[in-house]
Every structure is written in structure tokens, then in C-alpha cells.
């Protein structure tokens, strides 16, 4: 891409021919890519053997399935649902549905069957494509949808075996039509479905590339569940827009992940804080195990590497630490992107010291989802990214003395609304049309966003100070003795409603091993709590007095997590 040229300038060659709107629809975008890079690898699966399909092959599969769907009764506006492990089959159903002019409903495969049924009853898809583990259940509990398989183990309904000799007439969707409905919450009551148009997803895809140069030779690792807006956009739609390859990861099991990173020659890795923390903890442990002298030299070199990278825009770390990166199976990485939650600035910095172009992004399902991204060559470790100044608007509502207030946005990536929920949709928009993110933060003069936390998580202390739990939790991201820590307020004084700060801690196996104790043993409880109290005391020293943890609760079981490995918070303040 030439300097000062927009990442989507090439689309002008297809404007008025392949597409007529401001932005192409997702099928139009894919068709353009397949024309540009017909023989490039598109989708790769590693199960059971490595199978790679080119853009031409994938396009043929999508069109074949789209025709079958249309012959079978799917029309413009119809709903088709898909739920399963990341795979080329999942991706083909997603895109074939859009090629048929219909709307795709990606469903979290980690949900329990009754929760999935609730979503099916809400969305009412004509077809439901599901993976092998849940196939028999839904075959026997169809919920009004016709059940088909993402797995070849059910060959008669397997997605790649579906073909019609008849040819359907398809009415294609326009860029303003709903492409996908993503359910974010409420799976036991009335589910909240975010309606994203083709314009939302495609505009966000290309606009994000103003801060991130992608090339057709890149290899993306779709490891996190692809139904989630973050992975869907950053590891599925983004690569398809430039002709890059998508490697579908099905599990975060470390040995499997490292094998796929290595053999797939991954250049772009998308992850959440938990993944990057675990990966980095392993790297740092390996360096530390070499002894204090080597450890000291390595950390000195890491500091030098970071200085050169920031000041001279040259990246010596890739060569300096080649052996370390190869051992961690990330030597081929060009860029690592963290999203789905806040990452400690210290973690962000260490990856960059090691020579990995490591950046953070920020967004919500309702914004398709990326609305801020750190430019690789001008990142700020404390920031979740710079918003796309020329292509959207962002401001802070009612900022306090420190400039912190609710982050609100306008732009082509902002959702159409919540499915069949006009009142809930109206609630998240201001009267003059700004989308309210529910996140608290501040902007600097260059448009970089610094998040403080979720508005609903805010703790107000006795002295009237605002404390953001996420900022405290970030201090523990490299503490390997703690697997989970969730900070919340508790009512210290019923009369004033002033809050203290409590930490819910689930100790890691590493702590029990270090103390030579067994989890669940009553006698070990006091020893473990004392060890955790010591760790918390050390972190408290780094915090402002009003932000210090004053109560610790040791959890016997880990708290439930979302598919992007964030703890599902509870707000019962006692």
C-alpha cells in the first residue's frame, strides 16, 4: 500500500461493477478477494490432518451451499444459525448464508443446550448447523429449525455434502441489510441480539487497517471462539478482506496451540489477556531458569531493544531473541493483538521488548467491534488504542476533573440496534445519536483512549474516591500463584453506603505445588490464605491508599468465565 493511500482504495476498480454501495457487502468483498488472489490459501484446518483450501475452492463451496440453502427455502432476510468449534465448515456456513441473502446467527458453542434452545426460539432460524457433540441432542430437540452437521461424522447432513441440481434465483442483501445477529447476554431470559449490517462489519474491517497494515501473505490464527465479535472481525473478516490465510484453532490446550502456531507459520496472533499472560509467564520462567547472570543480561538487552524500537522505529528484538521466540513457537509472528479485556501495560511492554509488534485494541460487539487500535509504529503501552479519527467520532461524556467519563461514539461501525428490542436500543443512544459504550475512560490530545473500567463496576470509597476494579486486577496479571482475581466493592457502612475493596481470589495450582499442599485439604486453607495475603500486601504497596484491597475471600472453585476468558462478575455487594 502506498503512503497516504487508504487500505480500501483498490476497491475503486470494482466499484459500480461488483458492488454499487459505499461499501461492498461481505459476499461482494469475498468475491473481490477471490478474484485478486484465486490460488492463495484461504482456510486451513489441522484436524485430523492439515487441509488447506484456496480462495477459489472456498468460494465454490460457499456458492454451492448458498444455492442449496436458497433451493431449500432460504430467502433474503431468513435466519440461519451456526454453532460449533472453529472450522472451515463453520466459516463456510457463515458466508454461504450471506451469499444466499440471509442473516447468520452465530451461537456460542460453550453454552448449555437449553440456553442454545432459548436463542433458537428467539432468532427462529430455518436451519441450524451444529457440531458433532451437540448434534444428536438438537436432532431430537429441533426447536423448529432443520438440523444439519458441521462434522463429516454425520455424512447425510454434513455441510460439504449439501448440493442441489436445481439453480435458485437469489436476491442479494444490500450493505444496509443485517448480516449477523450476535447474542451477547440474557441467554436464560430474553436474549439481547446485536444486529450488525454488512456496512458495519465491512467498514470496520477496512477502517481498522488504517492503524494496522495487513498483507495477503499473512497467516491469521483463529484460536478464540469465532462466534465472538472480536475473533469474527479480527481473525476471520480481516484476513478475507486482503487475501490472507485463516488457520482455525479448536482448543487453547498449550501443546496443541504451540504445534499449530509453529506448523501454521502464524504471522498474526489474536488473543485475550489470559492467553498472552500464560505465554509470557512461560517465556520469562525459561529465561529465569538459566540463572541470575543470564537473566540479568537478557533483561538488560530487552530494555535496550525496547529503547531502539521506540526511538529509532527499528525492531532488533526479533534477531536478538530469536532462540527464545522459536522455543515459544512465536518466531514467525509479525503482529500480536490483544483484545477482549484490559492487558497490563507491563505485559504489553515485555512483548515489544522481545521483538513482537504487540498492540492492543478496543471495541464492543455493538461496534462491529473495533473502535480503537494502537498503531504498530506509534503505540502507547498505557492506551487501548487510538480511535479512527478521520472515519468516526469519539468523545467523553461528562468528564470529571481527571478527564474520565463515559466513552461514546458515532460511525459506520455502530450497530443497527438490538433485535426486536426498541426500548433497549433507545437506552444505549443519546438523544443526538451517540452510542454509549458503558465504559469509562479519557482521551489524550492525539485521540488515544485510556480506559478506567466499566461504569457498572465502579467502586466509590468512603472518601468519595472512584476506584476501577480493572486497574487493580491488572496489577496481578503476571502473578502466577493466582489463577483468578476479581475485585469488587463491599458495603462497609450501611448508613453512608461507602464501599471497601474486596478481592475474590482463586489460587493457582502453582501455589499449592510451591507450598507442597493439596487443594481442598482443610489444613492447607490457612496457609494458602496467608500466602495470598502476602502477595496482596505487596501489590497494595504500589496502589494509592484509597485503592488498596481491604478484604480477601479465597474461592474454593474458579468463577465462571466468558468465551473470551473474562470472569462473569456478580454485583452483590455485602
Amino acid at each position: 500500500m502506498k503512503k497516504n493511500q487508504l487500505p480500501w482504495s483498490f476497491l475503486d476498480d470494482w466499484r459500480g461493477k461488483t458492488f454499487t454501495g459505499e461499501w461492498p457487502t461481505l459476499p461482494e468483498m469475498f468475491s473481490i478477494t477471490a478474484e485478486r488472489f484465486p490460488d492463495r490459501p484461504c482456510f486451513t484446518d489441522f484436524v485430523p490432518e492439515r487441509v488447506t483450501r484456496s480462495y477459489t475452492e472456498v468460494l465454490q463451496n460457499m456458492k454451492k451451499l448458498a444455492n442449496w440453502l436458497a433451493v431449500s427455502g432460504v430467502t433474503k432476510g431468513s435466519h440461519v444459525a451456526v454453532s460449533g468449534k472453529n472450522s472451515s465448515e463453520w466459516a463456510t456456513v457463515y458466508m454461504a448464508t450471506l451469499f444466499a441473502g440471509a442473516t447468520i446467527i452465530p451461537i456460542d458453542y460453550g453454552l448449555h443446550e437449553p440456553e442454545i434452545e432459548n436463542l433458537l426460539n428467539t432468532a427462529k432460524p430455518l436451519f441450524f448447523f451444529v457440531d458433532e457433540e451437540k448434534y444428536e441432542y438438537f436432532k431430537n430437540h429441533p426447536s423448529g429449525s432443520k438440523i444439519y452437521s458441521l462434522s463429516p461424522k454425520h455424512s447425510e447432513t454434513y455441510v460439504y455434502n449439501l448440493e442441489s441440481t436445481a439453480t435458485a434465483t437469489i436476491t442479494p442483501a444490500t450493505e444496509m441489510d443485517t448480516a449477523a445477529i450476535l447474542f451477547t447476554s440474557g441467554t436464560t431470559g430474553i436474549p439481547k441480539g446485536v444486529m450488525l449490517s454488512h456496512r458495519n462489519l465491512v467498514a470496520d474491517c477496512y477502517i481498522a487497517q488504517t492503524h494496522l497494515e495487513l498483507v495477503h501473505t499473512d497467516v491469521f490464527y483463529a484460536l478464540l471462539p469465532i462466534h465472538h465479535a472480536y475473533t469474527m472481525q479480527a481473525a476471520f473478516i480481516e484476513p478475507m478482506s486482503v487475501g490472507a490465510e485463516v488457520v482455525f484453532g479448536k482448543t487453547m490446550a498449550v501443546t496443541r496451540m504451540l504445534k499449530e502456531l509453529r506448523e501454521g507459520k502464524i504471522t498474526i496472533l489474536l488473543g485475550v489477556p489470559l492467553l498472552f499472560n500464560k505465554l509470557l509467564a512461560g517465556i520469562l520462567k525459561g529465561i529465569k531458569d538459566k540463572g541470575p547472570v543470564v537473566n540479568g543480561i537478557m533483561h538488560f538487552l530487552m530494555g535496550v531493544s525496547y529503547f531502539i524500537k521506540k526511538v529509532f522505529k527499528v525492531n532488533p528484538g526479533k534477531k536478538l531473541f530469536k532462540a527464545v521466540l522459536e522455543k515459544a513457537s512465536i518466531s514467525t509472528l509479525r503482529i500480536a493483538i490483544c483484545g477482549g479485556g484490559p492487558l497490563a501495560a507491563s505485559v504489553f511492554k515485555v512483548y515489544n521488548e522481545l521483538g513482537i509488534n504487540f498492540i492492543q485494541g478496543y471495541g464492543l460487539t455493538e461496534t462491529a467491534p473495533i473502535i480503537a487500535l494502537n498503531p504498530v509504529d506509534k503505540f502507547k503501552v498505557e492506551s487501548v488504542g487510538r480511535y479512527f479519527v478521520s472515519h468516526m467520532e469519539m468523545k467523553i461524556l461528562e468528564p470529571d476533573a481527571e478527564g474520565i467519563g463515559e466513552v461514546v461514539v458515532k460511525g459506520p461501525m455502530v450497530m443497527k440496534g438490538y433485535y426486536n428490542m426498541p426500548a433497549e436500543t433507545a437506552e444505549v443512544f443519546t438523544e443526538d445519536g451517540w452510542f454509549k459504550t458503558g465504559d469509562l475512560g479519557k482521551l489524550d490530545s492525539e485521540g488515544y483512549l485510556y480506559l478506567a473500567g466499566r461504569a457498572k463496576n465502579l467502586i466509590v470509597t468512603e472518601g468519595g474516591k472512584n476506584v476501577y476494579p480493572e486497574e487493580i486486577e491488572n496489577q496481578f496479571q503476571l502473578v502466577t500463584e493466582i489463577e483468578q482475581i476479581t475485585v469488587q466493592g463491599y458495603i462497609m457502612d450501611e448508613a453512608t453506603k461507602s464501599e471497601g475493596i474486596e478481592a475474590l481470589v482463586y489460587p493457582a495450582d502453582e501455589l499449592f505445588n510451591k507450598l507442597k499442599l493439596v487443594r481442598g485439604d482443610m489444613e492447607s486453607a490457612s496457609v494458602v490464605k496467608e500466602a495470598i495475603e502476602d502477595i496482596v500486601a505487596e501489590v497494595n504497596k504500589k496502589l494509592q491508599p484509597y485503592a488498596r484491597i481491604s478484604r480477601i475471600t479465597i474461592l474454593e472453585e474458579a468463577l465462571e468465565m466468558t468465551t473470551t476468558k473474562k470472569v462473569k462478575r456478580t454485583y452483590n455487594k455485602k
Side-chain angles (χ1 to χ4, degrees), residues 237-250:
I237 296 173
E238 291 282 2
M240 291 192 300
S241 75
V242 298
E245 181 180 358
V246 184
V247 173
F248 295 102
K250 292 176 171 57

Side-chain angles (χ1 to χ4, degrees), residues 145-311:
S145 307
K146 294 172 184 173
I147 309 301
Y148 286 83
S149 175
L150 295 176
S151 167
K153 290 184 179 179
H154 303 282
S155 60
E156 72 284 359
T157 57
Y158 177 47
V159 54
Y160 284 147
N161 292 341
L162 303 176
E163 189 171 9
S164 175
T165 53
T167 302
T169 301
I170 292 172
T171 303
T174 67
E175 66 174 307
M176 304 308 289
D177 288 328
T178 301
I181 300 175
L182 310 187
F183 286 99
T184 60
S185 60
T187 51
T188 54
I190 300 173
K192 185 182 281 186
V194 175
M195 296 187 293
L196 296 175
S197 67
H198 288 267
R199 178 177 186 256
N200 292 153
L201 291 164
V202 174
D204 194 55
C205 163
Y206 285 116
I207 289 171
Q209 291 174 39
T210 59
H211 290 185
L212 178 68
E213 186 175 0
L214 303 176
V215 291
H216 68 275
T217 52
D218 275 322
V219 183
F220 286 70
Y221 193 29
L223 178 63
L224 300 172
I226 205 169
H227 74 274
H228 191 276
Y230 167 45
T231 320
M232 183 185 302
Q233 179 63 271
F236 177 48
I237 296 173
E238 291 282 2
M240 291 192 300
S241 75
V242 298
E245 181 180 358
V246 184
V247 173
F248 295 102
K250 292 176 171 57
T251 173
M252 283 177 71
V254 176
T255 51
R256 175 78 167 274
M257 181 182 77
L258 295 180
K259 178 179 184 288
E260 292 176 350
L261 278 169
R262 186 171 56 253
E263 293 183 9
K265 294 184 170 55
I266 306 300
T267 66
I268 311 276
L269 174 63
L270 285 293
V272 290
L274 180 68
L275 170 66
F276 287 118
N277 289 337
K278 283 191 170 183
L279 199 57
L280 185 58
I283 292 171
L284 294 179
K285 185 178 183 299
I287 293 172
K288 192 174 182 181
D289 288 347
K290 292 184 182 297
V293 175
V294 173
N295 188 37
I297 293 170
M298 288 290 280
H299 278 82
F300 171 75
L301 290 173
M302 285 160 64
V304 172
S305 168
Y306 184 77
F307 175 79
I308 293 170
K309 188 175 185 185
K310 283 294 281 182
V311 176

Side-chain angles (χ1 to χ4, degrees), residues 393-554:
E393 297 175 82
M394 180 182 288
K395 68 179 182 179
I396 306 299
L397 272 190
E398 300 175 2
D400 63 14
E402 296 177 3
I404 295 174
E406 185 173 8
V407 181
V408 296
V409 297
K410 278 184 180 180
M413 64 287 290
V414 176
M415 68 168 181
K416 295 175 68 176
Y418 296 117
Y419 180 62
N420 286 343
M421 299 178 99
E424 287 80 358
T425 300
E427 278 179 18
V428 295
F429 285 92
T430 63
E431 287 185 6
D432 53 349
W434 291 83
F435 172 69
K436 298 187 285 185
T437 66
D439 284 316
L440 299 169
K442 62 181 179 181
L443 288 167
D444 69 13
S445 59
E446 294 182 288
Y448 284 80
L449 176 65
Y450 301 80
L451 285 185
R454 291 291 291 171
K456 63 183 179 182
N457 297 346
L458 181 67
I459 300 168
V460 182
T461 67
E462 189 175 17
K465 293 283 189 181
N466 290 346
V467 175
Y468 307 100
E470 295 88 346
E471 291 185 350
I472 300 173
E473 291 162 2
N474 284 349
Q475 300 293 323
F476 292 87
Q477 284 197 10
L478 287 180
V479 177
T480 55
E481 294 91 346
I482 291 176
E483 184 167 324
Q484 282 184 351
I485 182 163
T486 301
V487 172
Q488 62 182 20
Y490 69 95
I491 302 300
M492 295 173 65
D493 187 328
E494 281 294 338
T496 63
K497 296 296 181 187
S498 64
E499 296 181 70
I501 298 169
E502 177 183 28
L504 307 178
V505 178
Y506 182 67
D509 290 341
E510 184 173 320
L511 179 61
F512 285 91
N513 295 337
K514 188 184 289 185
L515 297 172
K516 295 181 171 58
L517 297 171
V518 178
R519 193 187 293 276
D521 184 349
M522 292 296 291
E523 294 178 9
S524 68
S526 60
V527 180
V528 169
K529 185 164 188 183
E530 191 175 322
I532 295 294
E533 285 172 347
D534 289 343
I535 294 168
V536 170
E538 284 302 308
V539 171
N540 270 344
K541 290 176 186 176
K542 304 172 190 174
L543 300 171
Q544 293 293 329
Y546 62 83
R548 288 173 185 163
I549 295 164
S550 56
R551 188 165 88 178
I552 299 169
T553 299
I554 305 297

